[in-house]
Amino acid sequence: MSSTMNKGKREKLEEFIKKCSFFDQQFAKLKQEAYYAMDLEGNYIRVNNVCEELTGYSKEELYCLSYNDLLVKNSFEYVDEVFHNTLNGDLQHYECTIYTKDQTQKELEVTNSPIIVDNEVIGVYGIAKDITKFNDQKLKLQESERLHRSLIEHSPDGVIITQDGRVYANNEASFLLGGEKKEDVINKNVQDFIPNIDESHLIKCLKEAEEDGVASDLYEEKFLQLTGKEIDVEIKAIPTIFQGNRAVNLIIRDITERKLAHEVMINSEKLSVAGQLAAGIAHEIRNPITAIKGFLQLMESGKSYKQEFFSVISAEINRIEIILSELLALAKPQLDKYSKKDIKSILQHVVALTKSQAILHDVHIQTSFSKDSLEVLCDENKLKQVFINFIKNAIEAMSYTDGGMIFVKSEKVGDQSVIIKIIDQGPGIPEDILKKIGEPFFTTKENGTGLGVMVSYEIVKQHDGEVQINSDSNGTTISITLPLSSSLTS
């Protein structure tokens, strides 16, 4: 095309733009996009204010430039092709990169259309939009997702991403769910792997994570493998973003073998405790039986025997009964014996029962109870047995120190628990003995069975409480924590 022809068409284009109200409207200052018009050689002949803001050039400077003067080098060939397609009468929509006046790169979304007058193309009309920030965000999102996928793929744990119920999984999760490769489980519904949906905690965790952005605690769940086999897993649900939308990350670990090993260990411990208990029972009962047997043999032989033999035999039988009754106390109390009781009234009764024994040993019991009414769900007689056992032990310990004070206190701990403390001023318990307290038949008393503390521990445990013993040369503190009845019903 000759320069003379182009010059004529440029003049025709300028005249057309000057007379056309359409261009006056499109190039108004309020427009947010960059509007421009170019001649057949790509030179700018009309631009709006946004073009100045976008490129950093003034209108006068832009009228001395063509589109090629703004493009980065690797865009020349592509944009030239698009420009000539527009001159052939085609609407073109594309993206390109330009340099601004200060050499900053910007990403543009461009639409070019031909200006046609009298059935011939005399120029190009264009709209450009800055999408630099959008592309930066897109690149960051893509990089974030790439990193996310990499972390998932290389995780030693099974990882499942659920979105709208559908599953994306790494190889570890696929193997755990009974697949040979991750494609075996991808796009399946997460509910396909839950054996009993009505009892599953996972559905609630998924909803809280996806809708509320709340991560779950680590908890145990049952999963159903592709083969139909149920497995025990440890699972945590974490809210995440996947492909630009909300999703949930599920970290899962197979704990089937761990649970089996734990059960074996518990059974082993039970057998060990049972063996230890049986040995203790045999030892404790053999002594009185030996005495009874000896006296009976004397009586059977026809030799003379004295009346006091009967009192000795009766005493040994009583000892056997005491041992057996304390062993029976280890059995779990019946639930129908449980009722709400104020811990203060229980302690007041126990102190009244033990006060006379304390006075005999020159020991004084001082109480300090919470003003609040602290009710516990309990078997009242069993708890009294616990407190009596510990207070009697404190009194006996202080009989070696010429008396002193025993403090019995109760106080509320938060909104959930009450703690009862029995503090004595005795000589304390040596560390090697403290470690053995609670073992069956371990005792430092001459006539003790060693079952009192063990029974007390078991009763507190049955009430969902715990016992802690701290001791030094200044005395011993026994702390008994019990749940308040309000915390059990809330």
Side-chain angles (χ1 to χ4, degrees):
M1 188 179 292
S2 66
S3 59
T4 303
M5 190 179 294
N6 279 348
K7 184 178 180 182
K9 288 188 177 182
R10 179 183 173 100
E11 291 173 353
K12 190 175 182 178
L13 174 63
E14 289 175 343
E15 184 67 20
F16 173 76
I17 292 173
K18 186 177 181 181
K19 291 180 179 179
C20 183
S21 60
F22 169 79
F23 280 96
D24 290 336
Q25 295 171 3
Q26 296 303 313
F27 285 82
K29 292 182 180 180
L30 296 178
K31 296 295 179 183
Q32 294 182 354
E33 290 85 7
Y35 289 85
Y36 56 88
M38 296 183 290
D39 62 18
L40 296 177
E41 294 178 352
N43 300 307
Y44 295 105
I45 63 170
R46 186 76 183 271
V47 297
N48 69 350
N49 293 339
V50 181
C51 287
E52 293 181 297
E53 297 170 7
L54 187 64
T55 64
Y57 292 101
S58 66
K59 289 182 181 179
E60 290 73 20
E61 290 172 321
L62 284 170
Y63 293 152
C64 297
L65 301 174
S66 72
Y67 67 84
N68 268 328
D69 295 322
L70 300 180
L71 292 172
V72 297
K73 289 183 179 180
N74 59 5
S75 296
F76 284 174
E77 186 176 344
Y78 169 64
V79 177
D80 271 343
E81 181 182 350
V82 170
F83 182 76
H84 286 96
N85 288 339
T86 309
L87 296 182
N88 289 330
D90 296 329
L91 182 72
Q92 300 290 306
H93 185 81
Y94 62 96
E95 293 181 8
C96 65
T97 306
I98 66 166
Y99 281 119
T100 62
K101 186 176 181 179
D102 62 3
Q103 296 301 298
T104 300
Q105 287 192 18
K106 285 190 176 181
E107 302 286 334
L108 302 183
E109 183 180 65
V110 179
T111 301
N112 280 348
S113 59
I115 301 174
I116 303 173
V117 178
D118 298 333
N119 292 323
E120 66 174 345
V121 177
I122 61 173
V124 172
Y125 169 71
I127 305 171
K129 184 178 180 181
D130 186 359
I131 58 171
T132 307
K133 290 182 180 179
F134 173 78
N135 281 349
D136 286 346
Q137 290 173 350
K138 188 176 177 181
L139 286 171
K140 287 178 181 177
L141 182 60
Q142 289 173 345
E143 176 62 20
S144 176
E145 287 191 0
R146 187 195 65 78
L147 179 60
H148 194 186
R149 283 178 181 268
S150 178
L151 290 172
I152 290 171
E153 293 300 337
H154 295 91
S155 172
D157 293 319
V159 179
I160 291 177
I161 296 178
T162 69
Q163 197 172 60
D164 298 324
R166 296 293 164 185
V167 166
Y168 171 82
N170 65 357
N171 285 325
E172 286 296 323
S174 179
F175 298 152
L176 188 148
L177 295 174
E180 295 182 359
K181 53 186 183 302
K182 61 186 179 184
E183 286 74 18
D184 293 336
V185 298
I186 288 177
N187 288 330
K188 288 188 178 295
N189 194 303
V190 69
Q191 294 189 9
D192 295 340
F193 302 105
I194 304 174
N196 193 337
I197 294 176
D198 294 335
E199 297 179 3
S200 174
H201 184 57
L202 179 58
I203 302 300
K204 179 186 175 184
C205 290
L206 286 173
K207 184 178 179 182
E208 290 179 348
E210 190 164 1
E211 296 181 4
D212 305 328
V214 178
S216 74
D217 295 325
L218 194 65
Y219 73 99
E220 291 183 12
E221 180 80 63
K222 284 194 179 292
F223 261 33
L224 188 67
Q225 291 184 322
L226 295 173
T227 58
K229 178 184 175 183
E230 285 190 14
I231 59 170
D232 292 298
V233 298
E234 202 170 50
I235 191 166
K236 185 177 182 69
I238 304 170
T240 188
I241 299 295
F242 184 66
Q243 296 179 342
N245 296 309
R246 287 186 177 186
V248 180
N249 232 2
L250 296 178
I251 300 174
I252 52 177
R253 296 170 187 159
D254 187 355
I255 58 170
T256 306
E257 291 185 4
R258 189 206 303 175
K259 288 195 74 173
L260 287 173
H262 183 64
E263 288 177 7
V264 169
M265 182 184 70
I266 289 175
N267 288 333
S268 176
E269 286 182 357
K270 285 180 179 178
L271 289 172
S272 175
V273 170
Q276 184 182 7
L277 191 61
I281 293 170
H283 174 74
E284 290 296 318
I285 293 180
R286 182 185 290 117
N287 290 335
I289 286 178
T290 300
I292 293 170
K293 186 178 178 181
F295 284 112
L296 287 176
Q297 285 174 341
L298 283 173
M299 294 167 65
E300 189 179 23
S301 66
K303 296 181 180 179
S304 60
Y305 54 88
K306 298 180 181 179
Q307 187 67 29
E308 58 263 26
F309 287 1
F310 292 105
S311 61
V312 174
I313 292 173
S314 179
E316 296 300 320
I317 290 174
N318 288 337
R319 179 169 175 77
I320 292 173
E321 285 181 346
I322 291 170
I323 293 170
L324 293 178
S325 63
E326 290 189 333
L327 285 171
L328 288 173
L330 292 172
K332 191 171 184 179
Q334 296 299 313
L335 291 177
D336 56 9
K337 293 184 179 179
Y338 279 58
S339 59
K340 290 183 180 180
K341 295 292 181 181
D342 187 354
I343 202 71
K344 179 180 178 181
S345 65
I346 294 176
L347 290 171
Q348 285 175 333
H349 191 197
V350 168
V351 169
L353 288 174
T354 54
K355 186 170 285 187
S356 58
Q357 182 182 352
I359 293 172
L360 290 174
H361 292 86
D362 199 21
V363 173
H364 299 279
I365 300 177
Q366 182 174 319
T367 60
S368 174
F369 302 136
S370 171
K371 294 180 180 179
D372 298 324
S373 177
L374 303 177
E375 288 189 337
V376 295
L377 187 64
C378 66
D379 181 326
E380 183 179 6
N381 290 329
K382 293 295 183 183
L383 280 190
K384 284 181 179 179
Q385 181 182 347
V386 171
F387 300 140
I388 288 171
N389 281 344
F390 286 131
I391 291 176
K392 280 187 173 181
N393 286 344
I395 293 171
E396 290 176 13
M398 291 179 62
S399 65
Y400 299 105
T401 58
D402 299 326
M405 296 290 295
I406 292 177
F407 301 93
V408 180
K409 302 179 178 180
S410 70
E411 58 188 53
K412 191 175 182 181
V413 182
D415 296 325
Q416 305 293 318
S417 307
V418 58
I419 187 167
I420 300 95
K421 293 185 178 181
I422 299 168
I423 307 168
D424 68 46
Q425 296 177 333
I429 305 170
E431 189 174 347
D432 58 331
I433 293 177
L434 191 61
K435 291 178 181 178
K436 295 180 181 180
I437 288 179
E439 292 182 7
F441 303 108
F442 174 78
T443 180
T444 56
K445 300 176 184 177
E446 184 177 349
N447 297 315
T449 64
L451 291 173
V453 176
M454 183 181 179
V455 169
S456 299
Y457 274 32
E458 184 64 24
I459 291 171
V460 173
K461 182 180 177 182
Q462 289 162 3
H463 285 77
D464 296 324
E466 61 179 24
V467 179
Q468 185 176 0
I469 300 178
N470 297 305
S471 188
D472 57 29
S473 58
N474 296 318
T476 300
T477 299
I478 297 171
S479 303
I480 303 155
T481 305
L482 295 168
L484 293 171
S485 59
S486 57
S487 70
L488 298 174
T489 56
S490 61

